[in-house]
Amino acid sequence: MTRKPAPDARALALQILREVLGGRGFASGRLDALLERHRLGAADRGLCTQLVYGVLREKSFLDRVVSEYVSAAKTPSGLRHLLRLAAYQALCLDKVPDHAVVNESVELAKRHFGEPPARMVNAVLRKVIADRQKHLEDRRDPAGAFPEWMLERWRRRYPESTLGALLSYFNGIPPVGLRANLQKTDPETVSGKLREAGLEAARVSGTPLWTAHTLDREALTPLMKEGVISIQDPHSYRVAEAVAAAPGEIGLDACAGHGGKSAAILEACPDLELWVHEPASERLAELRENLRRLGLKTPRVLASASAAARRNLSFDWILVDAPCSGMGTLGRKPEIRWRLKPKGLDRLAAGQRAILEAWWPRLKPGGRLLYAVCSLEPEEGEALVRAFAAAHPEAQLAAIREWLPSEDPGDGFFVANLHRRT
């Protein structure tokens, strides 16, 4: 019985691209799972990560290149993913020799699709390399890496200089945020541990955050297991910080997810009563495990807003970090630009309004609700909260903020403070 060869960086990248571009999961989650399972060396982990995110960012450009040599309609989707992967290596990576790109891509095609497709990949890739200069001229416009409907929305809202900076940020590699658990450690110790692990990270002044532009997750694993470090986007941390939780308060994280913001709030203010709502059981399990790892107290769980009403519960503050389009995270999740459609924004906005309507009655008079989305789109942000405040005379829109990643590195976020008048 012939054993299958162990997957290498390119084979894993192809598998992840087939799953992600087929709508199954996000690149970050699939990368973490498969790299953990297959235990590649550091160089191959880095190459696999670069290939996956690079192809997702450059998909529009790569599709234009490939379409010059083969018909998309006549090419199976799996083979199109391989051609994108091969073209990306030939046109966007400087350190991989042409002969290695051709040989590796042809071997990958043979393994997955057979001899005739492998010969086609060989022919196409040699033409791509011969026409490299022409293709690289086409690649220079960063707008070419986004769907036209997204660009049109942004052109209507942002001046040219702001839009250019935003596109460049989304097309680059965003920094990774590292949050120190100051209930377990101190900044000096964290800096020392990061240096010992060979991680180059810069402290964000006045916060428990560090940022790194490259990250070896295996080197970080011991620090995460100790509960002294968590990965969190800088602007995601700022949302948790903006809650301004105080000792003795009763607070609710109404869309708790994996618990990143709940953890940041409890690390900063352990002496509060925290409740969480998260309908997905897997995420709720991850939240509990995350807080256990960090040595934080387990919050109390609410199944729904109606369950809170039946118990006559009310809160000093409510955080609604609502499920959204993620259009502020296109640097970290480039696949969103190819998945999302314009009508999706209206459907999401309806869900976000429903969440506000459900939880607003559970806010105490004089209390505050912080609404946040990792999106810069008005339907999910300013237009939504202004309409909500207009429909609720007791709601005072105290402040709205938009954090552009191009101005302050981190995901794009919209944040609004709503106070309940007494």
Side-chain angles (χ1 to χ4, degrees):
M1 181 176 173
T2 305
R3 294 182 63 185
K4 284 186 178 180
D8 58 15
R10 292 173 176 84
L12 281 183
L14 178 61
Q15 179 180 343
I16 293 166
L17 289 169
R18 293 176 78 168
E19 293 177 3
V20 171
L21 290 172
R24 302 192 303 277
F26 285 99
S28 57
R30 298 309 299 138
L31 262 168
D32 286 348
L34 288 176
L35 292 179
E36 174 71 20
R37 183 189 308 166
H38 293 290
R39 293 292 184 183
L40 301 182
D44 278 342
R45 288 200 307 274
L47 176 60
C48 183
T49 302
Q50 185 176 23
L51 292 176
V52 169
Y53 282 109
V55 171
L56 291 173
R57 289 190 183 98
E58 302 279 358
K59 178 180 174 293
S60 184
F61 162 66
L62 298 171
D63 284 350
R64 292 197 301 275
V65 170
V66 171
S67 67
E68 291 194 21
Y69 309 102
V70 293
S71 165
K74 295 179 180 178
T75 309
S77 62
L79 195 52
R80 288 203 305 274
H81 297 323
L82 192 150
L83 288 168
R84 290 178 185 122
L85 184 63
Y88 176 77
Q89 294 173 79
L91 299 174
C92 305
L93 296 186
D94 298 329
K95 295 181 180 178
V96 183
D98 289 343
H99 67 85
V101 173
V102 174
N103 292 342
E104 295 286 349
S105 300
V106 169
E107 286 303 313
L108 199 54
K110 282 182 187 176
R111 255 183 4 241
H112 288 270
F113 306 105
E115 285 287 350
R119 288 195 293 273
M120 184 268 279
V121 168
N122 180 55
V124 168
L125 201 45
R126 291 184 184 280
K127 290 175 184 175
V128 168
I129 291 169
D131 296 339
R132 177 183 283 134
Q133 199 54 45
K134 178 188 74 171
H135 294 313
L136 292 181
E137 288 295 323
D138 175 41
R139 185 187 176 217
R140 288 185 178 177
D141 181 6
F146 298 87
E148 188 59 31
W149 70 268
M150 284 188 185
L151 293 171
E152 280 304 310
R153 293 177 64 86
W154 294 336
R155 286 176 183 135
R156 291 195 295 267
R157 298 209 319 272
Y158 299 120
E160 188 176 336
S161 58
T162 303
L163 177 57
L166 191 64
L167 297 184
S168 294
Y169 184 89
F170 283 153
N171 277 338
I173 300 173
V176 179
L178 303 174
R179 188 190 76 242
N181 179 5
L182 299 186
Q183 295 297 317
K184 279 196 169 189
T185 187
D186 58 80
E188 293 71 25
T189 301
V190 171
S191 292
K193 284 179 176 285
L194 291 173
R195 283 194 301 271
E196 288 170 14
L199 299 168
E200 293 185 16
R203 175 87 187 274
V204 180
S205 179
T207 74
L209 290 181
W210 280 252
T211 57
H213 287 279
T214 58
L215 195 65
D216 183 340
R217 291 195 176 229
E218 282 208 352
L220 192 63
T221 297
L223 298 180
M224 294 187 68
K225 285 184 175 177
E226 290 175 34
V228 298
I229 284 289
S230 298
I231 295 176
Q232 186 172 32
D233 175 80
H235 287 168
S236 172
Y237 170 78
R238 287 180 66 185
V239 170
E241 185 181 47
V243 169
E249 287 186 326
I250 303 173
L252 168 71
D253 186 348
C255 305
H258 305 288
K261 294 179 182 67
S262 291
I265 290 168
L266 285 171
E267 285 173 4
C269 184
D271 298 322
L272 63 86
E273 183 181 325
L274 181 64
W275 291 72
V276 298
H277 168 253
E278 173 48 55
S281 58
E282 324 84 65
R283 288 187 175 185
L284 194 56
E286 288 179 29
L287 180 150
R288 288 180 167 128
E289 172 56 26
N290 192 30
L291 297 185
R292 185 204 61 76
R293 173 182 67 85
L294 296 167
L296 301 171
K297 66 183 179 183
T298 303
R300 302 172 77 176
V301 177
L302 277 171
S304 63
S306 56
R310 286 194 299 271
R311 299 174 71 162
N312 200 28
L313 277 173
S314 57
F315 301 95
D316 297 297
W317 57 261
I318 297 174
L319 169 61
V320 175
D321 177 27
C324 70
S325 67
M327 278 180 66
T329 70
L330 296 181
R332 284 193 304 112
K333 296 180 178 179
E335 59 268 41
I336 288 174
R337 65 188 84 180
W338 312 119
R339 287 185 182 180
L340 188 67
K341 304 301 178 190
K343 289 182 179 177
L345 292 172
D346 293 331
R347 287 194 297 270
L348 287 162
Q352 291 150 0
R353 177 67 182 260
I355 292 171
L356 283 176
E357 295 288 357
W359 290 106
W360 178 254
R362 308 322 314 155
L363 188 65
K364 293 178 180 178
R368 59 201 187 275
L369 184 148
L370 191 80
Y371 173 81
V373 283
C374 52
S375 170
L376 304 171
E377 305 313 303
E379 294 96 323
E380 303 183 278
E382 184 169 355
L384 185 145
V385 294
R386 289 196 182 280
F388 179 84
H392 294 267
E394 76 284 9
Q396 177 190 0
L397 185 53
I400 58 173
R401 286 162 283 182
E402 187 176 75
W403 294 329
L404 287 174
S406 52
E407 296 174 355
D408 182 14
D411 289 342
F413 262 91
F414 172 85
V415 181
N417 288 83
L418 288 157
H419 291 182
R420 184 165 190 148
R421 293 186 175 95
T422 55

